[in-house]
Amino acid sequence: MTTAIAPRSRKVRVLATLGPASNTPEMIATLFQAGADAFRINMSHGDQQSKIPVIQAIRALEKQFMRPTTILADLQGPKLRVGKFDGGRTVLESGSTFVLDRDKTPGDATRVELPHKEIFAAIEPGARLLLDDGKLVLRVTDHGPDRIETTVEVGGALSNNKGLNVPDVVLPMAALTEKDRSDLAFAVEQGVDWIALSFVQRPEDLAEARKLIGGKAALLAKIEKPAAIDRLEEIVEMCDGVMVARGDLGVELPPQTVPPLQKRIVETSRRLGRPVVVATQMLESMIQSPSPTRAEVSDVATAIYDGADAIMLSAESAAGAWPVESVAMMNSIGISVEGDPMHGDRVHFTVMRPDPTTADALSEAAKQIAKTTSATAIICFTTSGSTARRIARERPSVPLLVLTPSKETARRLGLLWGTHAVHTRDVESFEDMVGKAKRMALRTGIAKAGDRVVVMAGVPFRTPGSTNVLHVVHITGDELKDYA
């Protein structure tokens, strides 16, 4: 059965992670109806073959609901771990000495293997080593090519293969592991829309992934390392989108520093015209509870007030007991916050200064004209999606209907603020542009008879990057009848 879903009544996008609790075709469709605009597939869990039916189920929604779907494949990245212990675990006492070395012999309370030679080359005395998501803290006192001696500042139980974070130095490690390269090739072959690169430390980390993607997907940089903050603007300029990955960022930095950093990352991404996703522990309690805490709702609302393009669910939708309720809650928080009369003022607290280009000037003008003329929507024609990104950067008060002849572009725009993308044939003339804008506005329900809409396009048509037309159109309601 085919059922068209009307444009969302909110502008912030909801990105839902799929997993054991939500990877059946029926559940994916239910999450889509509940408000999920895009789906994240975590390549850290499961094998590649298990992802194929999930991807197929997401794409099947396009026929069922007559709108593009958006898939983000999230690469695991170079996850650092310690080795194994005799008996599977040990206890480190605060104040004791603990050594990490290259010896594969099972460890004890005095030492353990560290199977990452890059750390030995980069570590410095005084640097911190955080174990098990920051529960244990070591301070480096001495080091050599095969040995790092530390003092245990915060002790506790430590078991096999627990994670290790090195927040105080930039590690000379490739951003892509062999597993990541294989997963990236698989994801591109399956036609996903976004590739998320984990543990980005510097802009150079993005180069290999960009080359391997070969233009077949958009590249999203996950900001979860303190080193990335030092070169944030360069990293944002090098990617197509950004994720504020607060999990590891909150491990490697004091938790009280994460909120201002979140605002800085969102502001930088918005200013440079890159969609930005706020992620991790947004509705964490809904993994087990059918309703969130008030603090979690406030956290989600803050991201929306800051103008984030998307808000993400992780374990809440992937492995929790209430995946549909989690998505529905995100949807309802978005609608409630955007219904606040002060929402527009808060979203525009970040000042957008247009670049000295025709496209940026027209995008800024489109927002103002829509407001002044009480237009109900902005409609743009685009091939690459750049015009849509420029308009969304302005955070207009009305929805953005994007008409594109590129199915790939329509799918990638699922993470872009306020956007409803439609895959449709290209236009041939100015009259064709006006007629199609009117018809699609009526068909999608984004406008009705008597409304005005603002239309943006580029002449000559079918020329990417040629945005130079802004036109206000009055809809009479006869457009569909005339076309029929």
Side-chain angles (χ1 to χ4, degrees), residues 90-100 108-111 127-129 131 135-141 148-158:
T90 190
V91 176
L92 304 189
E93 298 291 341
S94 297
S96 65
T97 297
F98 189 72
V99 174
L100 300 104
D108 53 29
T110 65
R111 61 154 296 277
R128 291 169 300 152
L129 300 177
L131 297 167
K135 295 183 180 70
L136 290 79
V137 180
L138 313 179
R139 183 76 64 173
V140 176
T141 56
I148 299 173
E149 188 172 304
T150 75
T151 297
V152 180
E153 290 192 347
V154 179
L158 185 62

Side-chain angles (χ1 to χ4, degrees), residues 373-392:
T373 64
S374 299
T376 57
I378 297 173
I379 302 174
C380 82
F381 291 82
T382 182
T383 301
S384 66
S386 63
T387 303
R389 288 190 294 274
R390 285 188 172 100
I391 299 171

Side-chain angles (χ1 to χ4, degrees), residues 5-166:
I5 279 192
R8 305 290 189 195
S9 57
R10 54 172 163 73
K11 298 182 177 68
V12 69
R13 307 293 85 176
V14 174
L15 174 60
T17 302
L18 298 179
S22 56
N23 58 15
T24 65
E26 296 77 17
M27 181 59 80
I28 292 170
T30 302
L31 294 180
F32 191 66
Q33 290 174 294
D37 300 289
F39 295 96
R40 170 177 173 255
I41 296 176
N42 190 349
M43 302 305 293
S44 299
H45 305 299
D47 58 26
Q48 292 176 358
Q49 291 303 306
S50 69
K51 307 293 192 299
I52 294 176
V54 177
I55 292 171
Q56 291 173 341
I58 298 170
R59 291 302 188 216
L61 299 177
E62 295 187 334
K63 283 188 176 181
Q64 185 178 354
F65 297 111
M66 298 192 298
R67 61 182 292 180
T69 55
T70 303
I71 303 173
L72 180 146
D74 195 335
L75 304 181
Q76 177 174 290
K79 189 71 174 177
L80 305 178
R81 299 184 185 278
V82 298
K84 299 183 184 300
F85 292 93
D86 188 15
R89 68 187 299 276
T90 190
V91 176
L92 304 189
E93 298 291 341
S94 297
S96 65
T97 297
F98 189 72
V99 174
L100 300 104
D101 55 36
R102 305 294 301 281
D103 185 354
K104 294 183 181 297
T105 304
D108 53 29
T110 65
R111 61 154 296 277
V112 73
E113 178 198 8
L114 180 61
H116 304 285
K117 62 181 180 181
E118 298 89 349
I119 299 178
F120 294 88
I123 203 68
E124 299 173 353
R128 291 169 300 152
L129 300 177
L130 311 178
L131 297 167
D132 193 10
D133 289 336
K135 295 183 180 70
L136 290 79
V137 180
L138 313 179
R139 183 76 64 173
V140 176
T141 56
D142 196 9
H143 69 97
D146 298 305
R147 176 184 174 90
I148 299 173
E149 188 172 304
T150 75
T151 297
V152 180
E153 290 192 347
V154 179
L158 185 62
S159 55
N160 291 344
N161 305 125
K162 284 298 182 182
L164 172 76
N165 293 80
V166 188

Side-chain angles (χ1 to χ4, degrees), residues 263-327:
K263 290 182 179 292
R264 178 181 166 190
I265 298 166
V266 170
E267 186 274 335
T268 301
S269 302
R270 285 189 54 194
R271 180 165 44 81
L272 296 176
R274 305 299 193 273
V276 56
V277 181
V278 177
T280 318
Q281 297 178 326
M282 300 210 81
L283 296 178
E284 184 85 353
S285 66
M286 289 194 75
I287 295 173
Q288 297 177 324
S289 171
S291 60
T293 67
R294 304 301 180 268
E296 289 167 339
V297 173
S298 181
D299 177 41
V300 174
T302 295
I304 299 170
Y305 278 120
D306 288 344
D309 289 81
I311 44 181
M312 190 181 97
L313 293 165
S314 300
E316 302 97 326
S317 59
W322 307 93
V324 177
E325 290 79 3
S326 297
V327 170

